[in-house]
Amino acid sequence: MRHTRSLRPGAALVAALIATAAVASGCGSDASDGTGKQTARPDVRGSSPPGSAPDSPSASSTRPTGKPTGPPSPALPDSVTRQKLSWSRCPEPNAAQGSDAGSPSPLPGGTRWECAELKVPLDYDEPKGKTIGIAMIRATERKGGGRRIGSLLFNFGGPGGSGVATLPAFARDYEKLRGRYDLVSFDPRGVGRSEGVRCLSDRKLDGYFAADWTPDTDREQKRLFARQQNFAHGCEKRAGTLLPHLTTENTARDMDVMRQVLGDQKLHYFGISYGTELGGVYAHLYPDSVGRAVFDAVVDPRSTPVSGSLSQSSGFQLALDNFLKACAARGEDCPVGEDPDEGKQRITDLLAELDAEPMPTDSGRKLTESLAEGGIAQALYAKDTWQLLARGLEDALVDGDGSTLLLLADALNGRNQDGTYSTLQSSLTAISCADNRQRYGVREIKSELPGFTEASPVFGPMSAWGLSSCHDWPVHGQWTSPPVRAAGADPILLVGTTGDPATPYGGTRAMKEELGEGVGTEVTYRGEGHGAYDSDNTCVRRAVDGYLLRGKVPEDGTNCR
């Protein structure tokens, strides 16, 4: 499945879509809180191949066996841990980061964003060898908020999302936290300005995402795997020496360099979606350095690529079913009918029709089955964008116009409005395949296909074929599951959402158990969408803010509605 575990949409594009949708079909919730602010965010992170469950951690068939490879890395030289960062005014995000994000706006009080480049070892086993640059961004602490705690480092998910582009776009959600922290984020290695990986040209990516990812014949299956092979060879040609080092473990080590260079005794951290997996790996490597940490939209560290992708298919189907129920309640205004089961069948039929004959759009490009499935999924990441899904379905089913669904698909795939692509797709594939050992061919996928289709007739087939993501990848994966056990670490707040499509709710309990006794504290948001803190739920905000700002650990099992 072409869906990642992050919260960051193509902000300008999604905002424009919300404006143009104008609640025309009346099947979604209000898109703002009355101030023009989006109250939740869909994920736009595309995956490597369509159909895959990117950032799905791998696992063995029984217990997780992942662990850092080899003996501890050699000590880092002072030139790395004591480097001085040259903070300066930030440039606008470039195409690799997602140029639709726009230039970082000044914060309340006139504080400007500052950017710098951190040098880290390419290979931590050779700490005095070649280095690579990690792009960073920060907004300094707001005066008058209380005694400064330190830096609060954000990772918004993916893997493959640019933190440098993301943090400014939604910083007002974290303005209260800036009362006691410098807000900091970064482009992880292999992403955006941090040696961002590109595997195909923009024109070829257009074709790649529009292609048929639900093969019905042997010939179509061969074409799918040929595309995967071509994608992998493109990555190897353009970034071959970098690929073995784009692991989550190395990014966690980069984060500890950040901690030291920023002058913090402990790492205070806010990880969202894949950022929770990254945070768990950091806690495993450096349990004594964990400060106040929040994991929101929690990844299940036990899942295999198969079980993780299957769970994600079920999660998106649940979100779609909830949308269809809300839509049906509007009666004749619902473009897919007043019966949720009828609506699901109409969507399934639409995808089948697009598989046979793509639909025209106002851009001149065609809406294919894979792009439509991606557009539908994009709108399900947040309840606030259900109205866009209703609009897109009405356009397609009534008018034969695929324009809205195509724009949503472009947001999911990281396509900028000028036709360029960010590094999302290549970065995500490179990181996922550097992490995960499992590789899947036709036989393995076909054996899993019935279960995926049963879990979701809309998302299941493409998700199953997406297990081909790392087929023929030029480097071996590091582990069978991410190591997250962190005995002795300070409390980590785990926030799960019951209606989360991309990181289903069960991952929260699994992460708690894997972190170890007394580390994880659960907070449950009984609502919709991918991620809870940015839903503006007062109960969730109070729990998270109380912990980050005052060190008050909420009661384990806290429920928010």
Side-chain angles (χ1 to χ4, degrees):
M1 184 176 290
R2 197 172 46 258
H3 318 314
T4 67
R5 296 171 176 154
S6 94
L7 287 175
R8 172 69 170 101
L13 177 57
V14 173
L17 282 168
I18 289 176
T20 57
V23 201
S25 47
C27 292
S29 63
D30 292 339
S32 77
D33 60 2
T35 65
K37 172 184 179 295
Q38 280 183 252
T39 56
R41 304 173 204 158
D43 179 24
V44 299
R45 301 310 180 199
S47 90
S48 39
S52 70
D55 52 46
S56 291
S58 302
S60 65
S61 59
T62 53
R63 292 286 297 166
T65 59
K67 59 182 180 180
T69 57
S73 297
L76 298 176
D78 289 350
S79 60
V80 171
T81 59
R82 295 187 180 183
Q83 63 185 290
K84 301 296 182 183
L85 298 180
S86 298
W87 296 101
S88 60
R89 186 168 180 171
C90 295
E92 292 188 8
N94 62 14
Q97 295 170 305
S99 57
D100 290 352
S103 181
S105 300
L107 290 134
T111 300
R112 291 195 173 275
W113 294 96
E114 299 176 314
C115 287
E117 184 179 77
L118 176 80
K119 293 295 185 181
V120 298
L122 172 64
D123 184 347
Y124 277 91
D125 288 334
E126 298 181 5
K128 295 182 180 180
K130 183 178 179 180
T131 62
I132 58 174
I134 304 296
M136 297 182 65
I137 190 169
R138 75 173 180 183
T140 53
E141 163 203 18
R142 173 169 45 84
K143 302 303 180 185
R147 182 177 59 83
R148 181 180 184 275
I149 295 171
S151 298
L152 181 62
L153 185 66
F154 288 80
N155 180 279
F156 295 93
S162 165
V164 173
T166 302
L167 182 58
F170 296 105
R172 61 182 171 181
D173 288 347
Y174 310 111
E175 181 62 16
K176 187 173 183 179
L177 301 177
R178 195 167 68 90
R180 300 194 66 187
Y181 294 96
D182 295 344
L183 305 184
V184 182
S185 193
F186 63 107
D187 288 357
R189 55 172 60 206
V191 175
R193 291 187 189 271
S194 300
E195 305 286 344
V197 175
R198 292 182 179 275
C199 298
L200 298 177
S201 68
D202 295 327
R203 182 181 60 81
K204 289 183 177 180
L205 282 174
D206 272 345
Y208 182 77
F209 292 121
D212 182 2
W213 294 98
T214 56
D216 302 309
T217 65
D218 289 345
R219 184 177 182 182
E220 289 180 352
Q221 291 168 18
K222 290 178 180 178
R223 288 178 177 174
L224 184 152
F225 278 88
R227 286 194 298 273
Q228 300 293 52
Q229 185 179 56
N230 183 59
F231 191 93
H233 288 179
C235 293
E236 184 176 24
K237 180 179 180 180
R238 298 180 180 212
T241 58
L242 187 64
L243 297 181
H245 306 290
L246 300 183
T247 63
T248 295
E249 181 186 322
N250 279 336
T251 298
R253 295 188 185 280
D254 294 342
M255 286 165 47
D256 201 58
V257 174
M258 294 176 204
R259 176 191 65 79
Q260 295 177 69
V261 171
L262 291 169
D264 290 323
Q265 183 177 2
K266 292 197 171 188
L267 181 76
H268 307 297
Y269 179 73
F270 202 131
I272 303 167
S273 197
Y274 161 80
T276 69
E277 178 183 325
L278 174 60
V281 172
Y282 179 89
H284 176 76
L285 291 170
Y286 308 103
D288 294 337
S289 295
V290 174
R292 298 178 188 179
V294 175
F295 295 178
D296 188 4
V298 185
V299 168
D300 182 349
R302 296 173 177 172
S303 63
T304 67
V306 169
S307 66
S309 191
L310 185 61
S311 178
Q312 201 177 59
S313 296
S314 298
F316 275 95
Q317 187 64 54
L318 173 63
L320 180 61
D321 290 343
N322 290 340
F323 159 79
L324 291 171
K325 291 176 185 176
C327 192
R330 297 295 182 102
E332 61 183 16
D333 289 335
C334 180
V336 290
E338 300 178 43
D339 179 0
D341 288 335
E342 175 191 349
K344 181 163 59 177
Q345 187 60 54
R346 291 192 70 184
I347 292 172
T348 304
D349 290 345
L350 172 64
L351 293 175
E353 292 167 5
L354 292 171
D355 187 25
E357 184 176 356
M359 184 176 290
T361 72
D362 59 15
S363 69
R365 295 161 60 210
K366 297 283 189 177
L367 179 73
T368 63
E369 177 195 21
S370 59
L371 291 171
E373 186 265 5
I376 293 168
Q378 168 64 38
L380 293 173
Y381 272 93
K383 194 172 183 180
D384 294 336
T385 47
W386 284 7
Q387 62 173 301
L388 299 182
L389 178 53
R391 169 68 177 269
L393 291 172
E394 181 176 26
D395 289 349
L397 292 168
V398 177
D399 301 326
D401 180 5
S403 301
T404 299
L405 289 179
L406 179 61
L407 286 171
L408 285 164
D410 286 347
L412 183 75
N413 292 330
R415 190 181 195 269
N416 299 312
Q417 294 185 69
D418 63 1
T420 61
Y421 281 85
S422 71
T423 62
L424 277 175
Q425 312 304 325
S426 299
S427 301
L428 188 148
T429 306
I431 295 167
S432 298
C433 297
D435 280 346
N436 299 338
R437 290 178 183 170
Q438 289 91 333
R439 303 291 187 256
Y440 298 91
V442 171
R443 181 179 300 177
E444 293 88 350
I445 292 172
K446 290 178 76 171
S447 70
E448 300 290 347
L449 190 58
F452 277 79
T453 303
E454 181 179 359
S456 172
V458 175
F459 303 107
M462 195 169 297
S463 183
W465 285 104
L467 294 170
S468 62
S469 299
C470 299
H471 182 78
D472 204 37
W473 195 250
V475 299
H476 295 293
Q478 181 181 17
W479 56 41
T480 55
S481 68
V484 300
R485 189 162 298 276
D490 283 352
I492 296 174
L493 200 59
L494 308 175
V495 187
T497 300
T498 54
D500 193 322
T503 52
Y505 176 64
T508 308
R509 177 57 56 87
M511 179 67 80
K512 178 181 178 181
E513 292 175 354
E514 289 303 306
L515 285 171
E517 186 71 26
V519 178
T521 295
E522 286 187 82
V523 172
T524 296
Y525 171 45
R526 300 197 175 278
E528 301 290 333
H530 185 45
Y533 187 83
D534 296 300
S535 70
D536 280 346
N537 179 270
T538 302
C539 172
V540 173
R541 285 289 180 96
R542 186 183 301 117
V544 173
D545 290 349
Y547 177 52
L548 289 176
L549 295 173
R550 297 183 296 279
K552 181 181 178 182
V553 181
E555 181 180 354
D556 189 27
T558 294
N559 276 277
C560 295
R561 297 181 183 273

